[in-house]
Structures are given as C-alpha cells and as structure tokens.
Amino acid sequence: MQKRELVYEGKAKKLFKTDDSDLYISEFKDDLTAFNGAKSSSEAGKGALNNKISTELFKLLDSRGIQTHFVKMLDDNHMLHKRADVILIEVIVRNIATGSLTRNLGIKDGTVLPFTLVEFDYKDDDLGDPKLNDQHALILGLVDYQDELDKLRRLAREINDILKPYFKDKGLNLVDFKLEFGKDSSGNIILVDEISPDNCRFWDINSGEKMDKDRFREGLGGLKVAYEDVLRRILGDSA
Ligand code: 5GP
C-alpha cells in the first residue's frame, strides 16, 4: 500500500491518502511538542517506538472486542488504518491524580482516585484544548446525540479495564491517558489516533520513575530509553 497525497500534518504524525478511499496511512514523526507547541524538540527513533507500541496495543484491544482503526503496521514509521471522521473530543482517562487534574483542582499529586475519572477536552489547539461538559459538546456539535457521549465514556472505561491490569502485569502503573475516537464509513464509533507514551502516563510500580512524555515535558532526559523500556515490557518474551 503506497502513500498518496498528504491530508494533514499534526504535531506527531502525518496523514496520507492511499489508493483505497477507506484506508489512510499515518507516518509517526520523531518530533516532540509540549504545552500546546510552546516547547518542541525531536528524538530520533521516537516515531518508530510509538508506532510499534500503538500497534501492539491496538492488536490487544482488537482481540478484546474494541473496534479500532488499526489495520497493520507497514514499516517502522508507518501504520495503515481505516479512514474515520475524527470526533474533536480528547477523552482523558485518569486512575491517579497528576498533571492538569492536580493543577486545576489541587488534588495531591499521586493520589489514587476513588474511581476512574473520564473527562472530555475540546481538541482545539487555538483554544488550548479546554475542558468540555456534555452540554458544551452538544452545543458545539462535536457529536449529534447524548448517547454518543455516553458511548465515548463507556468505551474509555472498557479500554482502561483492559489496559490497566495489562500494564500492572508489566510493572507499570497506567496513571492516565488520552484517547481519540472517530466515525468509520458505516458511522460506527471506533478508536483512532495512537496509544503510546506520548499520550499515556506510565509510572514504574517499584521505583515510581516516569516512563512517558513527562520526561520531555519536565526536562528529565532519557525519553527514548524509557519508551524502549515500555516497548520491551509490552513485547515481553517475544522481544
Ligand atoms: P493532562 O490533562 O494531565 O495534561 O493530561 C492527561 C493525560 O492525557 C496525559 O497522559 C497526557 O499525555 C494526555 N493528553 C492530554 N492532552 C493531550 C494532548 O493534547 N496531546 C497528547 N499527546 N496527550 C495529551
């Protein structure tokens, strides 16, 4: 499957058409950005690591009945996936308080939440991805019906119920993560984008070490080593 014209270039990926109008190719870039683009850098090999990690996690979720856009990994930096109309809502799932939850509500960093929190952010860089409630999402027309928002929350919880124990087994706490969804050509809501240390927080269960993009956000260094470690744990014996 060949890349055809560029449809869109985001901060971490480029999206290309293919000869099949139902299929697109994402190219995972080595670029790193944080704080809505205010901090940027690049790390050779980061894109390939995120492609490989996302591939394994999409396969896992597919095998557990979650519909995703994933078709196959084409090479180190390219993934073939279904075309979908992306819903402009970032679905944030949190098990442990940190990041903007801590900043916004003053909950102590590292607090294990009494239940999994699902939040919606408006996917709009110009506005800085503000928080949304259901009425905002409906007024903005980001979805057509309340049922669709309920479905996004339900899917996010189901995905967390699969990923949280999966990572615990591998010695990582799944602290929080961001999901994106879209509608495929039949109107089904499917998981899109990527699942990688760029949009998840992983803390080593024993040491508490951060194994995700916070290493870049907080200037800790060692980002690639951490992403490699996450991939190695995912691949386990087959690495
Ligand atoms: P926070 O709201 O604390 O900044 O982020 C919560 C979780 O969602 C983190 O795992 C973070 O990586 C992810 N996240 C939230 N917004 C974005 C975004 O715009 N881009 C990416 N890559 N991840 C995000």
Side-chain angles (χ1 to χ4, degrees):
M1 189 67 69
Q2 293 293 314
K3 285 196 285 196
R4 297 300 177 198
E5 67 184 275
L6 179 71
V7 180
Y8 171 77
E9 177 159 6
K11 288 184 281 230
K13 291 187 292 300
K14 289 182 188 170
L15 186 64
F16 296 90
K17 287 188 177 173
T18 68
D19 292 328
D20 182 332
S21 61
D22 278 335
L23 295 176
Y24 275 0
I25 291 173
S26 279
E27 178 184 326
F28 285 69
K29 303 197 298 183
D30 289 337
D31 297 349
L32 275 161
T33 61
F35 313 118
N36 201 14
K39 181 172 181 178
S40 63
S41 184
S42 177
E43 178 86 42
K46 191 263 313 184
L49 286 162
N50 282 351
N51 189 21
K52 290 173 189 168
I53 292 169
S54 293
T55 290
E56 294 305 319
L57 296 178
F58 279 134
K59 282 185 187 169
L60 168 72
L61 293 172
D62 267 331
S63 77
R64 301 285 296 274
I66 302 289
Q67 285 188 286
T68 82
H69 74 160
F70 177 78
V71 176
K72 67 175 172 176
M73 191 172 114
L74 295 173
D75 60 34
D76 273 6
N77 285 83
H78 294 95
M79 179 188 286
L80 181 67
H81 55 80
K82 291 184 201 159
R83 185 179 64 75
D85 293 326
V86 174
I87 298 170
L88 296 177
I89 297 176
E90 298 185 342
V91 182
I92 312 287
V93 183
R94 299 179 187 272
N95 296 306
I96 298 176
T98 194
S100 69
L101 183 67
T102 302
R103 282 197 305 279
N104 293 338
L105 298 184
I107 301 175
K108 191 167 174 292
D109 195 84
T111 305
V112 177
L113 299 174
F115 54 86
T116 299
L117 174 63
V118 180
E119 302 174 317
F120 293 152
D121 289 358
Y122 185 16
K123 188 174 158 58
D124 185 316
D125 282 345
D126 292 341
L127 296 174
D129 297 348
K131 290 278 161 231
L132 287 173
N133 66 27
D134 289 22
Q135 296 167 80
H136 295 141
L138 290 166
I139 285 170
L140 287 166
L142 305 181
V143 290
D144 297 322
Y145 307 105
Q146 176 67 41
D147 277 3
E148 294 176 317
L149 296 172
D150 297 340
K151 178 154 193 193
L152 295 182
R153 278 200 194 87
R154 202 166 54 242
L155 284 169
R157 286 184 193 285
E158 278 175 34
I159 291 167
N160 187 54
D161 286 346
I162 297 167
L163 294 183
K164 193 175 138 186
Y166 173 83
F167 280 108
K168 190 168 180 207
D169 248 22
K170 297 176 184 298
L172 292 172
N173 268 323
L174 179 58
V175 173
D176 59 25
F177 54 102
K178 185 251 307 178
L179 299 171
E180 295 187 23
F181 294 89
K183 289 185 184 170
D184 68 12
S185 51
S186 317
N188 296 315
I189 292 182
I190 60 172
L191 182 65
V192 302
D193 194 43
E194 65 182 276
I195 312 177
S196 74
D198 266 13
N199 54 17
C200 301
R201 287 192 173 103
F202 301 111
W203 291 353
D204 182 273
I205 285 178
N206 294 318
S207 66
E209 199 182 348
K210 297 179 180 189
M211 309 291 290
D212 55 64
K213 201 168 100 173
D214 273 353
R215 301 205 70 83
F216 169 67
R217 294 187 187 102
E218 298 175 14
L220 301 172
L223 176 127
K224 195 171 162 195
V225 172
Y227 284 32
E228 281 166 350
D229 190 349
V230 171
L231 177 62
R232 209 168 17 249
R233 293 189 202 212
I234 288 172
L235 293 174
D237 292 340
S238 62

